[in-house]
Amino acid sequence: MPRPLRVRFAPSPTGLLHIGSAHTALFNYLFARKEQGKFLLRIEDTDIKRSRQEWVGAIFDVLNWLGIDWDEEVVYQSQRIDRYQERAQELLDIGKAYRCYYLPEELEERKQAALKKGKSWRNDRRYAKISETERKTLEAEGRQPVVRLMIPAGKTVLQDRILGEIEVDNSTIDDFVIVRSNGSPLYHLAVVVDDIDMEISHVIRGLDHVTNTFKHVQLFHAFGYDLPEFGHLPNILGQDKKKLSKRHGAVSVSEYRDAGYLTDAVVNFLSLLGWQTGDDQEFFTREELRRRFSLDQVHKRDTVFDLQKFEWLNGQHIMALSEEELLPLVSPFLVQAGLMAEEAIVDQRAYILAVIGLLKERCRTLVEFAIRGKFFFVTEMDYNPKAVRKHWAKEPEAANQRLRWLCDGFNALDSFNTEALEGVLRQLAEEHGLKAAQFIHPCRVALTGEMAGPSLFHLIAVLGKDVVIERLEQALQIFPEVIKSAVDEGQNP
Ligand code: GLU
């Protein structure tokens, strides 16, 4: 009878949740949800020097943000030390583990001596079978033993769900320590005791754990427990084909959240790292992922973290949302950029929705709404000197005149809609024998400070008559000054 499907995500709370860890969490989660199994969470916090409660909170935070919910109570390894010691004692009792009294320096000496002779050192089990009297003498000398697992000769072989059959010669494993001389259990013991107690059916984790897995298999054997199935997820590399690290930019999920990535885009992007979808589809909703994800389509080749693709995918997810759906996601970024007060969001709802509507096809992150949309919210204009040089400074008098005509034409309008606005501009162009673009560009600079952006008539309609007239008047007033400083800047960049 196969075991009921139970997988776990077992992060160590030693820092912000890394992209690689989130990837492992997600693959376990999708696998469990697709197969109607259980997805459990275990906090591996036995390393008291490096583990911190705040990092545990950060893990919960990010998992919640990603929409990765877990079943049952969270297991904390720090609360299970007695259990690990008890299980180590069982291994001692049945002769699968032994107390080793070598001092670290003695072991080092032996290793060096073996190396000199061109041999590798394996524990000679000198203390595996000693008499009670000898034990007492050693302890009276002040020696505190570690507990080592007895690794039999032969090979450790396993069928990995992703890698296929993998094996290692047991001579490379050595009798590793499972309990330190101060009585504290080691990571390998804790993991296996927990996986047994939590009745884990599939251990799915990163490829960097594969050498640990061989050790764990030996522990499962020692406990006489049928192996869970193992699956090692591919390495995630940076564009330079080196293991993804800080050198490649942001590596924690929360940094992407703070940079304005959407949960669904992060989940979508992570799911494509190593999963062969079977066709060209790259955009997946969460529902589709839950339905379509299959561990059997996960390949073993290294996978590359492509930031450009991530941004593109985020843009796709932004575009797929309605203005109403984007409003609560975008607003915090406007507040954070100092463009509006949090209390103003409700009153300004219609205005923000219109702004989002104009920008959403252009923004690849939520932060970009605050950058590209800044001019919708400021009272003090910032004119990009390049735009000023290009569209005002080349023919200053003519540009100034056109802004005057536009200002008067717009001012005379009763209804500030895109058709009426466009009508005014085109008519002015015709009247004066000019091209529409000769009005559009200087006007855009006056209203947005930039040379490119969303459709001019739409943004004028959204800004509204008061603001538009005020900005045009202001531009006309400070025109020479702005031109001078932009030209100076161009000469002394
Ligand atoms: N705590 C380990 C880590 O954060 C994971 C161990 C496991 O999945 O077995 O890398």
Side-chain angles (χ1 to χ4, degrees), residues 162-228:
I162 296 164
L163 303 176
E165 184 172 290
I166 51 174
E167 63 166 54
V168 76
D169 196 285
N170 289 356
S171 63
T172 65
I173 302 181
D174 200 9
D175 293 351
F176 61 92
V177 178
I178 54 174
V179 180
R180 294 186 186 86
S181 55
N182 66 5
S184 66
L186 267 105
Y187 161 74
H188 301 301
L189 175 67
V191 167
V192 173
V193 170
D194 286 342
D195 284 342
I196 294 174
D197 288 351
M198 292 165 78
E199 299 176 6
I200 297 303
S201 63
H202 295 73
V203 173
I204 300 161
R205 57 189 172 196
L207 195 57
D208 48 341
H209 281 289
V210 82
T211 41
N212 293 338
T213 295
F214 290 118
K215 293 184 172 173
H216 297 176
V217 166
Q218 285 301 330
L219 270 163
F220 280 112
H221 289 335
F223 283 121
Y225 191 81
D226 285 344
L227 291 183

Side-chain angles (χ1 to χ4, degrees), residues 262-273 275 277-293 309-322 325-326 360 363-364:
L262 301 184
T263 314
D264 284 356
V266 176
V267 165
N268 185 168
F269 178 70
L270 290 179
S271 73
L272 297 177
L273 294 176
W275 171 44
T277 58
D279 56 33
D280 296 339
Q281 184 175 347
E282 294 196 296
F283 181 98
F284 288 91
T285 63
R286 195 175 285 262
E287 265 325 296
E288 278 176 299
L289 287 175
R290 283 189 188 204
R291 234 183 15 252
R292 287 205 27 198
F293 180 83
K309 180 167 164 185
F310 195 4
E311 270 182 11
W312 168 81
L313 206 50
N314 199 46
Q316 299 293 307
H317 279 272
I318 287 177
M319 267 197 272
L321 295 181
S322 67
E325 288 168 317
L326 282 167
K360 78 175 203 187
C363 292
R364 286 164 309 161

Side-chain angles (χ1 to χ4, degrees), residues 350-361:
Y351 185 67
I352 309 174
L353 284 176
V355 170
I356 292 175
L358 282 189
L359 295 175
K360 78 175 203 187
E361 309 255 314

Side-chain angles (χ1 to χ4, degrees), residues 13 30 76 90 96 99 141 151 169 187 224 257 273 305 377 398 411 414 437 444 450 461 467 470 477 479:
L30 290 174
Y76 290 88
E90 280 175 42
K96 301 274 182 177
R99 290 196 176 83
E141 279 171 23
I151 306 292
D169 196 285
Y187 161 74
R257 175 185 61 191
L273 294 176
F305 184 92
F377 301 95
N411 208 3
D414 289 331
R444 181 186 292 284
E450 287 297 336
V467 173
E470 190 188 308
Q477 228 176 62
F479 201 75

Side-chain angles (χ1 to χ4, degrees), residues 12-306:
S12 309
T14 53
L16 293 173
L17 199 71
H18 189 277
I19 285 284
S21 304
H23 181 250
T24 301
L26 180 69
F27 277 38
N28 275 286
Y29 172 77
L30 290 174
F31 178 51
R33 291 295 173 255
K34 164 89 183 295
E35 310 290 336
Q36 272 126 43
K38 295 269 188 248
F39 170 76
L40 311 183
L41 181 58
R42 178 167 84 221
I43 302 293
E44 304 208 320
D45 54 353
T46 47
D47 183 346
I48 29 179
K49 275 202 218 98
R50 294 174 62 226
S51 304
R52 278 201 256 138
Q53 194 50 39
E54 68 192 87
W55 299 130
V56 177
I59 291 169
F60 292 160
D61 240 30
V62 169
L63 291 179
N64 284 328
W65 182 71
L66 290 172
I68 296 182
D69 52 331
W70 55 91
D71 303 303
E72 304 181 7
E73 295 266 303
V74 178
V75 172
Y76 290 88
Q77 286 193 329
S78 57
Q79 294 170 4
R80 290 174 46 80
I81 305 295
D82 292 352
R83 174 69 180 148
Y84 307 138
Q85 284 164 341
E86 174 187 298
R87 294 241 65 190
Q89 184 60 49
E90 280 175 42
L91 293 180
L92 284 168
D93 294 346
I94 57 174
K96 301 274 182 177
Y98 62 93
R99 290 196 176 83
C100 175
Y101 286 85
Y102 275 124
L103 298 171
E105 51 275 22
E106 290 170 342
L107 275 180
E108 195 48 41
E109 241 170 59
R110 283 170 167 73
K111 258 186 214 160
Q112 292 307 330
L115 270 178
K116 260 196 200 140
K117 287 189 202 146
K119 288 190 194 146
S120 62
W121 154 262
R122 295 199 65 205
N123 197 298
D124 57 6
R125 298 182 183 165
R126 146 100 179 72
Y127 297 105
K129 289 202 169 70
I130 50 172
S131 66
E132 224 19 61
T133 334
E134 201 179 344
R135 185 179 309 287
K136 288 211 175 104
T137 321
L138 287 163
E139 287 177 12
E141 279 171 23
R143 288 180 188 246
Q144 291 294 327
V146 297
V147 179
R148 289 181 181 276
L149 186 72
M150 201 164 297
I151 306 292
K155 284 184 186 331
T156 305
V157 186
L158 68 121
Q159 292 298 331
D160 186 278
R161 180 89 175 232
I162 296 164
L163 303 176
E165 184 172 290
I166 51 174
E167 63 166 54
V168 76
D169 196 285
N170 289 356
S171 63
T172 65
I173 302 181
D174 200 9
D175 293 351
F176 61 92
V177 178
I178 54 174
V179 180
R180 294 186 186 86
S181 55
N182 66 5
S184 66
L186 267 105
Y187 161 74
H188 301 301
L189 175 67
V191 167
V192 173
V193 170
D194 286 342
D195 284 342
I196 294 174
D197 288 351
M198 292 165 78
E199 299 176 6
I200 297 303
S201 63
H202 295 73
V203 173
I204 300 161
R205 57 189 172 196
L207 195 57
D208 48 341
H209 281 289
V210 82
T211 41
N212 293 338
T213 295
F214 290 118
K215 293 184 172 173
H216 297 176
V217 166
Q218 285 301 330
L219 270 163
F220 280 112
H221 289 335
F223 283 121
Y225 191 81
D226 285 344
L227 291 183
E229 207 176 319
F230 287 92
H232 291 90
L233 302 172
N235 282 323
I236 304 175
L237 308 181
Q239 295 274 20
D240 56 0
K241 305 281 153 65
K242 303 231 168 74
K243 205 166 159 55
L244 190 66
S245 75
K246 284 218 161 40
R247 281 178 300 116
H248 299 102
V251 284
S252 65
V253 179
S254 44
E255 285 169 282
Y256 286 95
R257 175 185 61 191
D258 299 345
Y261 283 71
L262 301 184
T263 314
D264 284 356
V266 176
V267 165
N268 185 168
F269 178 70
L270 290 179
S271 73
L272 297 177
L273 294 176
W275 171 44
Q276 273 166 328
T277 58
D279 56 33
D280 296 339
Q281 184 175 347
E282 294 196 296
F283 181 98
F284 288 91
T285 63
R286 195 175 285 262
E287 265 325 296
E288 278 176 299
L289 287 175
R290 283 189 188 204
R291 234 183 15 252
R292 287 205 27 198
F293 180 83
S294 158
L295 202 56
D296 296 321
Q297 289 173 316
V298 175
H299 61 68
K300 58 182 175 188
R301 291 186 311 279
D302 292 343
T303 167
V304 174
F305 184 92
D306 179 346

